[in-house]
Amino acid sequence: RPSLGHKACGIPNFASKGYVFRDGSCFDCVEPVPLLKEGWRRLVQIVEQAAAGTDHIRIDIFVTPGGNLVVNEANISFLKISKFPPQLIEEMRKRWL
């Protein structure tokens, strides 16, 4: 069920299909990342530029059906309230450095 803000702005309801790390590896992915190598490199570049100077921030990017990258949101995020699965939090802890 979409949040009221999403519904008011016409944003469809969505569900996670996995979590992709900087190196392109994926945790709990149900399908391959919808980008070629160059598209992934560009996505990482956009996220690193948006997150520069921050300690912990979540950057949400939509990949359009045409393969364009659209920054949707940048938000401070705390792992304790993230609702990430415990296995993902452990994987993030391992990859922190």
Side-chain angles (χ1 to χ4, degrees), residues 59-80:
I59 309 290
D60 294 346
I61 296 185
F62 292 144
V63 180
T64 68
N68 293 319
L69 304 172
V70 180
V71 176
N72 175 60
E73 181 179 1
N75 199 345
I76 296 171
S77 180
F78 301 99
L79 281 177
K80 286 185 177 182

Side-chain angles (χ1 to χ4, degrees), residues 18-40:
Y19 302 91
V20 185
F21 292 95
R22 184 186 189 282
D23 66 1
S25 62
C26 194
F27 174 84
D28 207 23
C29 284
V30 297
E31 56 190 60
V33 175
L35 295 169
L36 299 176
K37 192 172 187 173
E38 179 56 30
W40 181 253

